[in-house]
Amino acid sequence: MQVYPLIMNRLVMPAASRFTDLKIWDEYKAMMKSERLSLEQLRQMQLTKLRAIVRHAYENVPFYRQRFESIGLHPEDIKSLEDIERIPPTTKDDIMANFPEGITAEGMDRSRWKYVASSGTTRKIMGIHDFRKSTLNWAAGIRAHRLAGNHRMGMKWMEIPPHMCTTICGINDGPKGEKLSTKKLVELVKGGDFGGAGRHVYEGLYSMRHDLYKRVTLPSFGPEGTNIPESDIVSYLDSIRSYQPHLLEGLPLYLYTFAKYILDKGVPAPRVGVIKPFGGSLTPYMKQIIATAFGCEVYDTYGCSELGFMACDCPKHEGVHLFMDLYHVEVRHGDRAAAPGELGKFYVTDLENVAMPWIRYEIGDVGRYFEDDHGCGRRGIRLEVEGRVQDTLVNSQGKFFTSDEVFDFFHARKEIDNFQLTEKSSGRYELLCVPVEGEEIDREGIARDFREFFDPEANIKAYAVKTIKAEDGGKFRFIKAKGHDKL
Amino acid sequence: MDIQKIRGDFPIFERRINGKPIVYFDSAATTQKPRQVIDTLSNYYANHCANIHRGVHTLSQESSELYEEARRTVARFINADEREIVFVRNTTEAINLVSTCLKGEGQILSTVTEHHSNLLPWGRSRDVDYVDIDAHGRIDVEDLKGKLQKPTLLVAVTHVSNVLGLINPVEAVIAEARKNGALTLVDAAQSAPHMEIDVKAMGCDFLVFSGHKMLAPSGIGVLYVREELYERMEPYLMGGSTIKEAHLGSYVPEEPPTCYEAGTPNIEGAIALASAIDYLSDIGMENVLAHDKALMALALERMKAIDNVELYGSLDPTDRLSVITFNVKGMGCHGVAKVLNLRENIMIRSGFHCAQPLHDRLGIGPTARMSFYIYNTPEEIELAAELLGKIAEFI
Ligand SMILES: Cc1ncc(COP(=O)(O)O)c(C=O)c1O
Ligand SMILES: [Zn+2]
């Protein structure tokens, strides 16, 4: 290992744990231990934590107390993990209608609580993390880096997040922390305020976290949409090439665009240790193209800003292993629990957020779970995340098609570079296609193949366009579906 | 002024989202529309639709008459002559028209508190300098005096800032400009909706505003040109209605203001703007102003009392009109806007409000902004302040 990462991992982080109340390192160590537990042990741990958080929510959080009382449910009734089904799901609307005071625990010390929200104007959810939850999440981030791609704190890291319009609209409006100051630290310690000193170290490290992590951020594709000029792609690749990050993270479409370019033009790929998506997950086809183009491992992680890091890949790449010590995830198909491998909606319970409990939170993602032991050594259940609920299509026979499946179907066609499929009124679909250079859109062929793939009755019309525009927050929606509420 | 009756005129307030009414606090961006204005539009389409100035038939004559009557209504609204009123799309187009057409040498003086629409058009082909603001956030007349020492063609100032809501000392600005032989343009986008404007008393040379910020549809705006100044202006867009006679290779220009309204204008927009002005005049601009000021005083008082809320600009309610800009410590402005929206349908703005240089000058990031109008009530402000207090004092 290089010197800097060595110092970070062997000295700075353990020292912070030892001398301040910033226990990231201790938590990380404990989490790594839990990765070696059996599925049974993990489930036992989940049950203990679930019962505790349900009891806590019932006793301290007005929203949950009213919910439970209105259906006559008592925390004691939750005796097994399956009993969680007796609790009604919590929607984003439920959260925001009660945020903050109705959905957070009463009577706690709020001085170190933090608001969390995804940057960008579109996502309609906010959350609160208390100090312990922030610490755990920081540790979970280190854990995800370590397990999925062997990235350690201090190794070079480059990211290309989606948010556009960072200056003009002022999207990057997060609060800025205080900088670490030795003078202030000495004063606090001299004055005997060790708690204050700890807090100061935390704030300082937090505000410096990008530098500590050797993390460099490139601007997003911006308002041009999917198809940016070739010269821009070249300059992204140059930036990556000259920084040589161990970890490259980016919006899936960005990574996919670079990969296609490298393969099409036969240009040498920048040297990168590992690639991961940021702000969305990769489809199987994307993963394959990116891995081939860059000649490196591609790992997946799963999480969101309101909850945190929830799961990450292993070298077998058969879904992301859930951090079962931190979260409980159910997959439900209609009004019943999905079987392993069956498609459904995710409901997440955060087992550690005491300040703002999330119990059976409808996160808005669809996918499948698997619990078999595939031999990598980690026994947490694996999730296959296949897209957002509102991007899931349903055909006239009631069969669901996830956005991953539809994405890979269209991208398997040689003439389609990028696309966006919009479900208009039932049975009618509009397809915008950016054709591959030198190719023509085969309207008839697309219509015929789509009917065969999706629905014999589907009426699809294709139009050639130059680019697919991003949504407000800079992310892309390639499938805009309507019938998903049946899921 | 009967606020419940006024609210009854606005169909949007009958809408419920998640079972709750809408609290619309974004009128500085655009206002809601009363039934009278909506009816004017549909009545025009149902009964009078025709192109203007081009036909002898009944509909064309009715349409032309309604359009010209609208111009007279606007003229009376700001105490101008009808020949001094040019219909444009919006404030932005009006400023671009002046910056494109005005002949003459010398710098342009703008200010750091301007909307991008009163900054960018000037920079395109002229020398521009920017007057600073004073400690309260208003235009600094002393700084203006200094900058006027250089030969100056025109001073372009906003009457009321769309970020700080402060009423600028435009009379003093105009007097100083006059003394130095400079022309003046007043951006009244945020003032015309709220207070009586008298261009003759004010003494400005150009004044601009948008219909959509005063109950009228989008796509109709007003440029007031002091009549003598037409002589100092070049033609703008050319085509239908800009000329009296056209021959291949030569033409005789039409008289102003028509010559600045190339092509078919937004006829129904102008007519609906007149209907909005009638609506406001029925209430009385003095009553509108008093109402908006009372809301502002209440909002300032409530917001000042909340810990962790930072307010920008002078806190004296007499300095301000209809706009209040703030941040909650530890929480981004978009987060604040989201929570207000999702909990109580309180719709506020967040970002730079098209005035990034002012934010830079104040050394602040993006901000949250509430703005009020005739249909807002003290109860709505109490509701917003209460919720804001919960969020701001929570952590
Ligand atoms: C002070 C000011 N000037 C100009 C404008 C631009 O108006 P419009 O978008 O109608 O052209 C606005 C609108 O926000 C404004 O507040
Ligand atoms: Zn595995």
Side-chain angles (χ1 to χ4, degrees):
Chain A
M1 220 194 290
Q2 298 146 300
V3 182
Y4 178 70
L6 203 65
I7 296 175
M8 281 303 295
N9 290 279
R10 295 282 159 79
L11 244 56
V12 178
M13 295 307 293
S17 264
R18 177 97 169 70
F19 298 112
T20 73
D21 59 354
L22 184 58
K23 303 294 179 200
I24 297 172
W25 203 246
D26 294 351
E27 296 293 358
Y28 164 67
K29 291 279 172 195
M31 286 178 189
M32 293 303 272
K33 271 206 194 101
S34 82
E35 288 286 352
R36 293 195 290 272
L37 297 179
S38 71
L39 187 56
E40 252 339 285
Q41 287 169 315
L42 286 168
R43 290 219 160 112
Q44 197 50 51
M45 188 175 188
Q46 277 190 318
L47 180 59
T48 310
K49 290 193 180 193
L50 175 70
R51 295 181 64 167
I53 197 89
V54 166
R55 163 168 292 284
H56 165 76
Y58 175 76
E59 286 172 357
N60 301 294
V61 181
F63 167 78
Y64 288 109
R65 185 162 53 240
Q66 281 156 20
R67 265 274 158 106
F68 286 26
E69 277 172 358
S70 72
I71 54 166
L73 188 73
H74 199 266
E76 301 306 310
D77 300 336
I78 307 298
K79 297 196 174 69
S80 68
L81 284 176
E82 288 70 39
D83 286 339
I84 197 173
E85 295 187 9
R86 302 177 59 179
I87 305 174
T90 305
T91 64
K92 293 190 180 185
D93 284 346
D94 289 333
I95 301 267
M96 291 315 293
N98 293 281
F99 186 85
E101 79 287 358
I103 191 82
T104 46
E106 295 165 333
M108 286 179 69
D109 169 17
R110 300 198 290 244
S111 61
R112 297 177 85 181
W113 287 14
K114 272 198 163 72
Y115 283 117
V116 291
S118 54
S119 42
T121 48
T122 26
R123 276 285 288 287
K124 294 193 169 158
I125 193 84
M126 298 192 64
I128 287 177
H129 289 176
D130 58 22
F131 185 65
R132 185 178 136 74
K133 169 73 191 177
S134 304
T135 309
L136 283 171
N137 194 41
W138 196 336
I142 299 175
R143 166 191 191 176
H145 282 308
R146 183 79 169 85
L147 291 170
N150 205 16
H151 176 87
R152 290 164 194 253
M153 263 189 89
M155 292 161 111
K156 286 196 274 183
W157 174 4
M158 183 173 250
E159 62 179 0
I160 318 171
H163 325 129
M164 52 181 178
C165 201
T166 43
T167 50
I168 298 300
C169 341
I171 294 301
N172 283 346
D173 61 347
K176 290 186 184 53
E178 203 181 340
K179 285 251 154 50
L180 196 60
S181 131
T182 327
K183 192 162 153 250
K184 176 152 184 197
L185 201 59
V186 170
E187 270 166 22
L188 287 167
V189 172
K190 265 195 194 153
D193 182 2
F194 295 103
R199 273 192 291 281
H200 183 65
V201 170
Y202 175 75
E203 287 299 331
L205 287 177
Y206 190 76
S207 72
M208 283 162 54
R209 64 195 188 283
H210 282 225
D211 297 334
L212 290 174
Y213 274 129
K214 296 215 167 204
R215 178 169 168 187
V216 171
T217 306
L218 298 185
S220 77
F221 277 18
E224 302 238 22
T226 51
N227 289 69
I228 57 172
E230 182 173 348
S231 59
D232 288 1
I233 300 181
V234 170
S235 87
Y236 274 112
L237 291 177
D238 285 346
S239 304
I240 301 167
R241 192 171 289 118
S242 70
Y243 189 63
Q244 292 196 3
H246 174 262
L247 170 62
L248 173 65
E249 282 189 327
L251 195 67
L253 177 100
Y254 299 170
L255 301 170
Y256 180 57
T257 303
F258 303 151
K260 281 191 295 188
Y261 184 82
I262 291 168
L263 294 177
D264 286 354
K265 305 281 163 169
V267 296
R271 231 179 70 201
V272 175
V274 54
I275 293 182
K276 290 193 200 179
F278 181 115
S281 59
L282 298 166
T283 73
Y285 182 68
M286 279 179 168
K287 264 182 230 171
Q288 183 198 325
I289 296 284
I290 295 167
T292 312
F294 283 87
C296 72
E297 289 253 43
V298 177
Y299 278 90
D300 235 341
T301 51
Y302 179 50
C304 60
S305 53
E306 64 269 30
L307 299 175
F309 294 93
M310 290 162 54
C312 75
D313 221 353
C314 68
K316 295 211 138 191
H317 305 302
E318 293 175 326
V320 289
H321 288 278
L322 178 66
F323 297 161
M324 289 176 71
D325 49 327
L326 305 177
Y327 299 93
H328 176 268
V329 172
E330 304 161 71
V331 184
R332 293 186 70 79
H333 189 99
D335 51 11
R336 62 174 174 79
E342 189 187 14
L343 188 71
K345 288 206 265 190
F346 289 2
Y347 292 78
V348 184
T349 300
D350 186 332
L351 301 171
E352 292 288 357
N353 193 337
V354 183
M356 177 167 167
W358 303 70
I359 298 176
R360 299 198 83 209
Y361 169 51
E362 269 196 76
I363 192 168
D365 292 316
V366 295
R368 306 162 208 271
Y369 81 100
F370 302 89
E371 51 188 16
D372 57 297
D373 182 356
H374 71 169
C376 73
R378 295 170 65 192
R379 286 299 288 119
I381 60 164
R382 299 185 326 270
L383 301 173
E384 200 83 74
V385 188
E386 296 188 30
R388 309 279 305 156
V389 175
Q390 72 265 30
D391 300 349
T392 306
L393 291 178
V394 53
N395 72 5
S396 58
Q397 285 90 53
K399 183 169 185 289
F400 292 98
F401 292 75
T402 63
S403 64
D404 274 18
E405 291 170 312
V406 178
F407 185 95
D408 286 0
F409 165 76
F410 283 112
H411 278 271
R413 298 190 72 89
K414 68 172 184 0
E415 84 265 33
I416 294 184
D417 188 11
N418 282 303
F419 79 97
Q420 183 177 52
L421 181 72
T422 305
E423 181 174 0
K424 305 300 270 192
S425 49
S426 71
R428 200 163 65 78
Y429 296 85
E430 213 170 76
L431 182 74
L432 305 183
C433 306
V434 183
V436 166
E437 214 179 303
E439 296 279 347
E440 290 271 332
I441 296 297
D442 173 8
R443 292 193 169 77
E444 307 265 293
I446 288 175
R448 190 184 56 238
D449 295 350
F450 185 68
R451 279 198 293 270
E452 190 180 315
F453 162 75
F454 176 66
D455 191 336
E457 287 162 27
N459 164 9
I460 184 172
K461 241 189 178 159
Y463 303 84
V465 295
K466 292 211 165 65
T467 188
I468 305 292
K469 292 278 183 209
E471 302 268 292
D472 206 8
K475 294 188 185 177
F476 293 93
R477 264 187 87 189
F478 296 115
I479 291 100
K480 295 177 153 184
K482 274 194 163 158
H484 47 75
D485 41 334
K486 299 189 199 89
L487 188 70
Chain B
M1 157 172 179
D2 180 351
I3 192 148
Q4 286 316 320
K5 184 165 167 290
I6 289 176
R7 286 178 70 82
D9 289 333
F10 288 78
I12 195 109
F13 296 122
E14 284 154 32
R15 181 166 174 205
R16 295 290 176 269
I17 301 175
N18 294 327
K20 291 181 190 167
I22 291 169
V23 177
Y24 187 73
F25 280 170
D26 196 17
S27 294
T30 203
T31 60
Q32 297 303 333
K33 320 301 177 202
R35 191 163 274 128
Q36 287 81 343
V37 169
I38 301 170
D39 288 349
T40 300
L41 276 176
S42 45
N43 179 48
Y44 172 78
Y45 291 132
N47 294 305
H48 308 290
C49 181
N51 211 328
I52 54 169
H53 304 319
R54 289 175 195 181
V56 293
H57 61 75
T58 308
L59 290 182
S60 178
Q61 292 201 335
E62 283 174 2
S63 181
S64 306
E65 180 47 31
L66 286 167
Y67 185 70
E68 289 307 323
E69 179 54 28
R71 196 191 303 278
R72 287 189 282 276
T73 303
V74 171
R76 286 191 297 268
F77 184 62
I78 59 171
N79 192 26
D81 186 273
E82 61 186 283
R83 276 165 309 185
E84 298 176 316
I85 302 299
V86 181
F87 282 125
V88 289
R89 268 181 296 169
N90 46 39
T91 302
T92 306
E93 189 187 15
I95 296 170
N96 274 278
L97 194 160
V98 176
S99 81
T100 308
C101 301
L102 183 64
K103 294 184 279 195
E105 298 297 313
Q107 68 173 351
I108 302 290
L109 281 182
S110 182
T111 81
V112 298
T113 177
E114 299 309 310
H115 189 279
H116 295 162
S117 291
N118 202 17
L119 290 170
L120 303 175
W122 302 112
R124 288 181 71 177
S125 58
R126 299 175 193 265
D127 262 356
V128 188
D129 201 355
Y130 306 95
V131 179
D132 202 7
I133 46 176
D134 63 18
H136 299 288
R138 277 174 309 208
I139 292 168
D140 184 347
V141 180
E142 288 309 310
D143 190 48
L144 170 74
K145 284 183 191 166
K147 297 209 156 106
L148 274 169
Q149 296 314 308
K150 266 178 72 179
T152 304
L153 176 61
L154 176 136
V155 182
V157 291
T158 188
H159 194 180
V160 171
S161 153
N162 70 317
V163 176
L164 299 177
L166 297 179
I167 307 167
N168 279 311
V170 283
E171 284 81 5
V173 169
I174 292 166
E176 284 306 322
R178 273 255 175 91
K179 251 194 255 167
N180 292 274
L183 300 172
T184 46
L185 177 141
V186 174
D187 175 351
Q190 296 295 348
S191 59
H194 300 277
M195 60 204 274
E196 204 169 316
I197 300 246
D198 180 334
V199 288
K200 296 295 178 254
M202 196 188 271
C204 57
D205 298 293
F206 302 96
L207 183 131
V208 298
F209 56 95
S210 297
H212 69 91
K213 292 185 200 283
M214 45 187 291
L215 312 180
S218 322
I220 187 73
V222 173
L223 164 63
Y224 156 79
V225 181
R226 190 160 60 79
E227 200 173 358
E228 300 84 86
L229 286 167
Y230 282 127
E231 281 171 18
R232 293 178 60 177
M233 290 167 68
E234 313 251 19
Y236 184 49
L237 306 176
M238 300 292 291
S241 35
T242 65
I243 41 114
K244 278 200 185 102
E245 284 174 37
H247 311 283
L248 296 176
S250 71
Y251 66 89
V252 180
E254 181 54 270
E255 300 293 326
T258 316
C259 64
Y260 291 102
E261 295 173 0
T264 302
N266 183 354
I267 306 166
E268 56 272 45
I271 297 169
L273 171 60
S275 144
I277 289 176
D278 284 341
Y279 185 88
L280 288 169
S281 305
D282 286 348
I283 298 173
M285 287 310 285
E286 66 287 0
N287 295 325
V288 171
L289 180 66
H291 171 78
D292 293 352
K293 287 215 150 196
L295 290 182
M296 175 52 62
L298 176 65
L300 274 176
E301 187 189 314
R302 288 289 180 273
M303 306 266 293
K304 270 195 285 197
I306 306 173
D307 277 346
N308 291 333
V309 162
E310 192 166 355
L311 298 170
Y312 303 107
S314 162
L315 299 184
D316 182 345
T318 57
D319 289 347
R320 303 183 73 119
L321 200 63
S322 67
V323 174
I324 186 162
T325 301
F326 63 96
N327 261 323
V328 174
K329 288 198 194 109
M331 194 177 194
C333 60
H334 302 303
V336 176
K338 260 182 226 179
V339 177
L340 293 181
N341 181 28
L342 293 168
R343 269 192 65 164
E344 295 292 345
N345 299 330
I346 300 172
M347 320 234 161
I348 70 165
R349 197 65 149 200
S350 50
F352 287 127
H353 323 296
C354 289
Q356 208 179 347
L358 177 60
H359 286 78
D360 291 348
R361 166 66 179 77
L362 296 171
I364 57 178
T367 50
R369 177 183 83 178
M370 297 201 278
S371 52
F372 315 122
Y373 206 28
I374 46 171
Y375 34 66
N376 292 122
T377 64
E379 293 74 33
E380 289 177 324
I381 290 177
E382 300 285 3
L383 177 74
E386 189 192 323
L387 180 52
L388 209 55
K390 279 184 193 156
I391 305 166
E393 291 171 356
F394 193 68
I395 293 190

